[in-house]
Amino acid sequence: MNAPLTIPLQAKDFKSDYKPVWCPGCGDYSVLSAMTKALAMLDLRPENVAVVSGIGCSSRIPAYTTCYGFHGVHGRALPAATGLKVARPDLTVLVASGDGDGYSIGGNHFLHACRRNVDLTYIVMDNHVYGMTKGQPSPTTEPDWCSKLAPGGTGVREFHPLVIALASGANFIARAFSGDPNGCAGLIAEAVRHPGFSFIEVLSPCVTFRPEQRGWKDRAHPAPVAPTDDPARAARRLMSDDGFNIGVLFKGNRPAFSAGSTQCGQMQDLEKAFQL
Amino acid sequence: MRESVSVALAGSGGAGVMTAGNMLLEAAAAAGYYGIMTRTSGPQIRGGEAAAMVRVSAFPTDAQQDRFHALAAIDWQNVGRFAAEIPLGADSVIVGDPAHGEPPEVFLKSGARYLPVPLKKLAGEIPGAWPNMVALGVLAGLMGIPAAAVEAAARKSMKKGLEPGLLAFRLGMSQVETPKNFHLGEARPSAARWLISGNEAAGYGALRGGVRFVAAYPITPATELLEWLAPALAKLGGTLVQAEDELASINMALGASYGGLPSLTATSGPGLSLMIESLGLGVTAEVPVVVVDVMRTGPSTGIATKSEQGDLNIALYGLHGDAPHIVVAPNSVSDCIAATQWAVGLAESLQLPAIVLSDQYFGQARAIVDVPPKQDFSLKRVVSENRDGYKRYAVTESGVSPMALPGTPGCQYTADGLEHNERGTPSSQAGDHLAQMDKRARKISQLDPGDAWASIEGEGDTAVVTFGSCTGPAREALLDTKVRLISLRLLSPAQPERLKKALEGVKRVLVVEQNHSGQFLRYLRSEYDLPGEVKSLRRPGPLPFRPEEIRNAL
Amino acid sequence: MKPKPRPAGQYAEFMARAYTLELEATERYAQFAEQLETHNNREVAKLFRKLADIEALHAKRILDEMQWPSMPALPPAYAWEGAEGPETAPLDAIHYLMQPYHALEIALRCEREAQKYYEGIAASRAPKQVRDAAREMAAEEAGHVTLIEEWMRRVPRPAAGWDEDPDPPRMNE
């Protein structure tokens, strides 16, 4: 019997029929487009890809793909994805989050996911605001941005996720911009290909609560130097990063997390410990 | 007559009290007895005062007796703090080293007989020997444990100093005789037994149930369960991952389970509190997961090293919204195996979270138990490969919808904590919410647990209703009485019909529980009709119930 | 980030790129239409569908001219030097309350960009066949520009405050 020919899939095969609820103009549409393009480029099949997310506008993305999805609770996408990947190393696991979900409530898990270096690709759609709850400052919001919850601004210095990722051991660090969906697709594909914990921060403007972010297209620029695999050099660059360097900024050589056991013992072996 | 002897060995840190206690227990096992060892200690990490409490009997038990027959102390430094945990009586013997002064008044006032034995001096006579081995000999001699059994135990566990240790032991044994009121009864060396702790038992039960992924965050008194599982899982090809906190561990377990592996984590009260939100995710997204809660004294940080049955409320009612799930409570050290295995099966077959309410008493006690029979509950996850318009949350008669595992083509879906329709699409429609709520409630309301729902023993028109570690002392309290014992193993979903049947003819009910507010009593009142006169015997931790307390309350 | 014109090596490659340009424009207008349908702006959604259809026709014409049954393998999409094709409107160009005039403004910009792109190639050192084709395409795009300008005169200009929504955004989760 002939095996069926595998038809190469296209980006549209990774997009489901669900119409996104995102505001027209939202950067997340680009990320969805980029994600589906990347998955097609990587020659994957939707049933072998899982998209894990938390809570927020960006976290709605799993159901907009034809992959397996896990829409978990606020801030806990990374541990869920970790458990899934460790249990099912055969799957390609993408994690989607936003700046609130990923860097605030999810901050602790972010640190340890970078350390643990499980082979995941973490895509954070950063719009410097809590969009779903109507416009509160997030960890990446400028200290002087006024909002109802913090009139006059929070006065608190922004979180720098790329530096934190580097310091915590992420194996691949990149920044993308939703204004360049094709470039973003390329970065996502590269991130998935790279072993270990790959982190892409996507600048993804919120047209509803931060309309001024339309100006990001004039600030985003390709990173002036090639990616480095030297954490010290990367640290120097990232500490003086202007927040709009686009491209791969660090590509490390750490081996990916491996916890699986290849033993195949029996329950009887364990019972010996209890026997008198 | 139910014969049993309980002894305690105490001393400050470095005295080797725990080592000697373990040897005594193992000796009892080697000699064909049953028994249980519990421990207590001061707050210091090292060097603190400690006591090992060992009960040996000819019949299986994991309860504490009303009184200790003997208390031997290597020294008396701060040992007085354990007085409430080591009750003595006029028939008891206090063994102390006169070089360390008189026993504290708090022990002497019990009327126990003081037997001075110069432990340090005797040990000094043997180069390389320690006073704890002398004390061990004294206790074994008092109890009537055969010397050969103790020596066998010592040979197994002592890495160095074996010969001087054995000499010291024999020397100690030669100092005493078995008092007339110390009855061990006839040993049964042929019965197949295990020596196991409650934590190990729960871990082992989880593996029997098929768990192959565990996420771990250390917390007293659950840490040993996780540490036992780490190499055990690896032996079976499974994985344990240490998480950064309990929020991570429960979500890791959910993620692994979503991927198809039966998954588990273990914690105590404070950790369970952190996990509650994500348990709700397991309920709504219908992802199986098991959490073993080794309950400790609460609330808040409480007393980490002591037991209490105070997490019933949060286990039953802690989830926001109406979130039906399973709560199971083992009622003996040995039952930690079957209860956990059952919980895994229920979680898998019903696709939801199951909480196992163990406690510190079970978890950290080492008991000699009959080898548990191998059970197969035949409870497995229903998996789908259907590609034809697959609906992950299809409304079925049983409430259980076949689950597609990632990797299966054609049935991709997104598991969601958002309320959803049958396909899994987020929905705010009243019809969808009601349909899914009914479905999730139906899953557990249609569960037929069979006889596993409770342990029911005895007959009479009085009944003791309890759960968990109160079961052992209740059972002993009810020996030679016409009182029923009903120990619930399945707490959620409630089984009103079954309890009604079990209480047929009962006019008086004594509800026994180890917490302050009467959580179990309130739960029973809210779910069940209790007949006639209902009395509550309740006390918070840290002290376990003793049979006479329950007898006196009847 | 503006795409710079580059000399296309071969005629076929140039036509493939032109096809991709039209196809991506089509897809983008179709995306806009879908988003606006979901957000209940049916009028502009219909307009974007029309624009999508127009671009689809242009794309099909290229296939017919080249006698390609279908595009066998699209050149890497991000060969547009970073951003998207010249005729592809950026995803953030739309607003849920936008009016037909806005949609046509977007289309106008796209056509002008496409025209500039082809003019750039026509003036480059590409082979003559490519330059001739580019000149033709540029002229066609210029025609589209005129058409859209015409169309714009027939639709009402949006008043100030067109983007005011008396209802605040909704919190969903």
Side-chain angles (χ1 to χ4, degrees):
Chain A
M1 190 185 101
N2 292 330
L5 290 166
T6 326
I7 305 159
L9 295 176
Q10 299 187 302
K12 63 175 163 60
D13 298 312
F14 287 89
K15 194 167 170 332
S16 76
D17 297 330
Y18 292 123
K19 311 278 186 273
V21 300
W22 300 320
C23 305
C26 176
D28 295 352
Y29 283 104
S30 275
V31 179
L32 174 61
S33 163
M35 199 186 275
T36 54
K37 271 205 178 98
L39 293 173
M41 277 159 57
L42 292 163
D43 236 338
L44 295 167
R45 299 205 57 86
E47 63 267 17
N48 295 326
V49 179
V51 184
V52 180
S53 66
I55 298 286
C57 289
S58 4
S59 290
R60 287 299 194 111
I61 205 167
Y64 303 148
T65 72
T66 56
C67 308
Y68 276 93
F70 188 92
H71 187 203
V73 293
H74 197 33
R76 319 292 170 201
L78 282 171
T82 299
L84 177 59
K85 180 68 184 185
V86 170
R88 293 289 305 276
D90 57 305
L91 299 171
T92 299
V93 180
L94 304 183
V95 193
S97 186
D99 42 309
D101 180 272
Y103 304 147
S104 199
I105 184 170
N108 188 34
H109 304 309
F110 180 43
L111 294 174
H112 297 283
C114 293
R115 285 179 58 224
R116 213 174 270 119
N117 208 30
V118 172
D119 189 17
L120 299 169
T121 300
Y122 187 38
I123 299 165
V124 177
M125 287 161 254
D126 188 348
N127 55 11
H128 296 7
V129 77
Y130 275 84
M132 185 142 264
T133 46
K134 281 176 34 172
Q136 294 76 36
S138 85
T140 48
T141 303
E142 305 79 354
D144 57 357
W145 184 69
C146 297
S147 61
K148 279 199 201 131
L149 209 55
T154 60
V156 179
R157 198 262 230 182
E158 320 91 315
F159 185 71
H160 290 179
L162 278 70
V163 181
I164 298 293
L166 180 71
S168 308
N171 212 29
F172 177 101
I173 300 172
R175 186 187 281 112
F177 175 46
S178 65
D180 176 10
N182 295 322
C184 192
L187 287 172
I188 294 176
E190 209 182 329
V192 171
R193 276 194 212 102
H194 198 75
F197 189 75
S198 303
F199 168 54
I200 305 181
E201 138 117 342
V202 184
L203 298 172
S204 178
C206 175
V207 290
T208 296
F209 293 107
R210 309 267 345 232
E212 70 274 20
Q213 289 172 350
R214 282 184 196 273
W216 278 1
K217 59 165 68 74
D218 298 321
R219 298 183 67 185
H221 60 93
V225 287
T228 176
D229 66 351
D230 174 12
R233 184 174 295 144
R236 282 192 294 276
R237 286 185 198 162
L238 289 176
M239 284 305 287
S240 53
D241 179 71
D242 65 357
F244 289 95
N245 274 305
I246 306 299
V248 181
L249 303 167
F250 174 75
K251 216 166 162 176
N253 305 310
R254 287 181 64 204
F257 178 85
S258 119
S261 153
T262 49
Q263 299 178 56
C264 36
Q266 306 285 333
M267 289 295 281
Q268 289 94 289
D269 302 330
L270 301 173
E271 289 159 15
K272 290 200 182 84
F274 306 133
Q275 287 161 2
L276 300 177
Chain B
M1 214 204 124
R2 297 298 203 112
E3 294 152 324
S4 181
V5 177
S6 295
V7 300
L9 176 61
S12 50
V17 155
M18 297 306 174
T19 311
N22 270 312
M23 260 188 255
L24 186 59
L25 185 71
E26 279 160 28
Y33 291 103
Y34 295 91
I36 182 167
M37 173 174 146
T38 55
R39 304 166 297 166
T40 186
S41 54
Q44 309 88 328
I45 310 267
R46 309 208 71 178
E49 54 283 5
M53 289 94 92
V54 181
R55 177 182 184 185
V56 178
S57 58
F59 56 93
T61 179
D62 57 29
Q64 298 281 297
Q65 286 187 274
D66 294 330
R67 252 162 292 292
F68 284 81
H69 293 78
L71 162 63
I74 297 170
D75 61 67
W76 291 111
Q77 293 199 74
N78 283 319
V79 172
R81 80 186 304 140
F82 303 137
E85 295 174 77
I86 308 175
L88 301 169
D91 292 339
S92 307
V93 175
I94 304 175
V95 176
D97 190 338
H100 289 286
E102 290 268 298
E105 176 57 28
V106 72
F107 292 118
L108 288 172
K109 74 178 186 200
S110 63
R113 169 167 67 100
Y114 174 41
L115 177 61
V117 177
L119 302 167
K120 192 164 166 199
K121 180 163 159 290
L122 290 169
E125 290 168 16
I126 302 161
W130 287 44
N132 69 333
M133 291 307 284
V134 181
L136 178 61
V138 170
L139 284 173
L142 287 171
M143 294 169 91
I145 304 256
V150 182
E151 293 184 8
R155 286 209 166 80
K156 256 209 299 191
S157 61
M158 285 186 86
K159 307 273 180 319
K160 45 179 191 167
L162 176 64
E163 286 313 317
L166 289 175
L167 289 169
F169 160 72
R170 285 187 210 121
L171 188 54
M173 214 173 186
S174 67
Q175 306 291 311
V176 293
E177 281 180 348
T178 309
K180 285 196 217 12
N181 60 320
F182 286 28
H183 300 288
L184 265 184
E186 196 146 329
R188 280 193 273 158
S190 56
R193 288 154 305 138
W194 281 356
L195 180 52
I196 193 171
S197 74
N199 275 342
E200 290 168 337
Y204 171 73
L207 297 177
R208 263 205 189 160
V211 165
R212 291 298 179 264
F213 178 87
V214 170
Y217 189 73
I219 184 170
T220 306
T223 310
E224 298 94 14
L225 197 164
L226 300 162
E227 287 181 331
W228 183 85
L229 274 171
L233 263 173
K235 270 207 183 81
L236 301 179
T239 314
L240 180 142
V241 176
Q242 182 173 345
E244 54 269 26
D245 57 31
E246 286 90 346
L247 301 160
S249 55
I250 183 63
N251 278 282
M252 284 185 190
L254 285 168
S257 178
Y258 168 77
L261 284 189
S263 304
L264 171 145
T265 186
T267 188
S268 190
L272 182 61
S273 291
L274 289 175
M275 295 181 186
I276 288 293
E277 181 201 12
S278 299
L279 287 175
L281 174 66
V283 171
T284 305
E286 302 198 44
V287 179
V289 74
V290 175
V291 178
V292 180
D293 176 13
V294 187
M295 295 188 283
R296 70 196 217 180
T297 311
S300 189
T301 314
I303 308 172
T305 52
K306 293 286 182 246
S307 206
E308 196 167 74
Q309 293 183 316
D311 296 349
L312 186 61
N313 278 352
I314 193 171
L316 289 170
Y317 312 122
L319 282 63
H320 68 271
D322 285 313
H325 57 284
I326 298 283
V327 180
V328 158
N331 58 24
S332 70
V333 168
S334 175
D335 192 32
C336 289
I337 298 174
T340 309
Q341 184 186 350
W342 190 35
V344 175
L346 291 173
E348 287 288 305
S349 59
L350 300 176
Q351 298 172 17
L352 39 60
I355 300 174
V356 178
L357 286 181
S358 175
D359 62 25
Q360 181 275 333
Y361 181 81
F362 284 156
Q364 295 189 324
R366 294 186 76 214
I368 303 166
V369 306
D370 283 321
V371 175
K374 285 218 177 12
Q375 287 177 285
D376 179 11
F377 298 104
S378 299
L379 293 169
K380 295 260 180 297
R381 195 185 293 206
V382 180
V383 167
S384 168
E385 305 221 341
N386 166 39
R387 306 176 193 204
D388 225 354
Y390 175 65
K391 289 184 189 164
R392 167 67 185 100
Y393 301 108
V395 174
T396 61
E397 210 185 296
S398 66
V400 176
S401 346
M403 189 181 195
L405 298 183
T408 313
C411 21
Q412 289 93 286
Y413 74 99
T414 293
D416 217 319
L418 280 173
E419 188 59 282
H420 42 259
N421 61 17
E422 289 186 286
R423 277 191 70 197
T425 316
S427 166
S428 59
Q429 301 294 309
D432 287 330
H433 184 48
L434 185 59
Q436 293 293 316
M437 292 290 268
D438 281 344
K439 168 196 200 292
R440 295 188 291 252
R442 195 157 63 243
K443 280 200 292 188
I444 68 162
S445 69
Q446 287 185 180
L447 167 66
D448 180 1
D451 292 335
W453 81 282
S455 300
I456 304 173
E457 299 157 23
E459 49 185 27
D461 61 8
T462 303
V464 167
V465 182
T466 189
F467 75 101
S469 55
C470 294
T471 308
R475 186 176 284 125
E476 283 201 29
L478 302 184
L479 282 173
D480 309 317
T481 66
K482 277 225 156 231
V483 176
R484 284 184 226 192
L485 172 63
I486 301 168
S487 166
L488 269 62
R489 292 175 76 244
L490 182 68
L491 293 165
S492 174
Q495 304 293 310
E497 287 308 309
R498 290 176 187 272
L499 185 64
K500 186 167 163 195
K501 188 146 174 282
L503 289 175
E504 245 162 43
V506 167
K507 298 202 189 73
R508 292 163 62 228
V509 171
L510 178 67
V511 178
V512 180
E513 60 188 302
Q514 195 191 22
N515 61 66
H516 187 265
S517 65
Q519 296 181 19
F520 187 54
L521 174 68
R522 286 176 216 225
Y523 156 75
L524 289 172
R525 283 210 179 288
S526 73
E527 299 283 356
Y528 305 85
D529 291 323
L530 296 175
E533 185 194 322
V534 177
K535 191 169 158 191
S536 167
L537 173 62
R538 60 178 191 260
R539 191 162 42 64
L543 301 174
F545 276 107
R546 297 186 185 273
E548 74 182 349
E549 293 180 76
I550 299 173
R551 253 193 316 271
N552 293 342
L554 281 168
Chain C
M1 291 192 267
K2 293 186 176 167
K4 297 188 189 94
R6 353 169 4 173
Q10 303 228 2
Y11 175 68
E13 199 198 295
F14 167 77
M15 291 304 274
R17 196 153 289 204
Y19 173 78
T20 308
L21 191 154
E22 300 300 328
L23 188 69
E24 287 182 1
T26 309
E27 285 171 352
R28 182 51 47 84
Y29 287 140
Q31 271 179 300
F32 285 166
E34 197 176 84
Q35 288 181 31
L36 290 173
E37 269 154 14
T38 309
H39 288 80
N40 299 312
N41 189 338
R42 312 234 172 251
E43 200 189 353
V44 181
K46 261 205 332 228
L47 201 159
F48 276 123
R49 290 247 176 253
K50 218 182 268 179
L51 289 167
D53 290 340
I54 292 173
E55 299 302 338
L57 276 174
H58 301 167
K60 185 163 187 310
R61 264 226 309 281
I62 295 173
L63 282 187
D64 291 342
E65 188 162 324
M66 297 301 291
Q67 289 171 335
W68 287 334
S70 71
M71 191 64 221
L74 293 171
Y78 48 88
W80 296 118
E81 296 215 10
E84 303 184 279
E87 207 167 4
T88 305
L91 271 166
D92 69 346
I94 58 173
H95 189 287
Y96 71 106
L97 288 174
M98 69 194 298
Q99 302 189 356
Y101 189 86
H102 295 121
L104 293 171
E105 272 188 320
I106 291 171
L108 184 65
R109 268 197 297 276
C110 291
E111 298 299 331
R112 285 191 174 137
E113 286 298 319
Q115 180 183 346
K116 251 193 275 186
Y117 170 77
Y118 288 125
E119 281 170 354
I121 294 175
S124 73
R125 291 210 204 102
K128 181 174 187 306
Q129 194 187 22
V130 173
R131 281 184 281 124
D132 288 344
R135 206 168 296 117
E136 253 183 67
M137 302 255 179
E140 239 186 82
E141 298 297 346
H144 299 164
V145 167
T146 311
L147 275 168
I148 292 183
E149 283 169 338
E150 234 270 321
W151 197 349
M152 282 169 85
R153 283 193 278 276
R154 287 186 269 120
V155 303
R157 287 192 93 114
W162 61 269
D163 58 350
E164 270 165 29
D165 187 340
D167 288 338
R170 278 181 289 272
M171 230 187 298
N172 279 333
E173 248 131 75

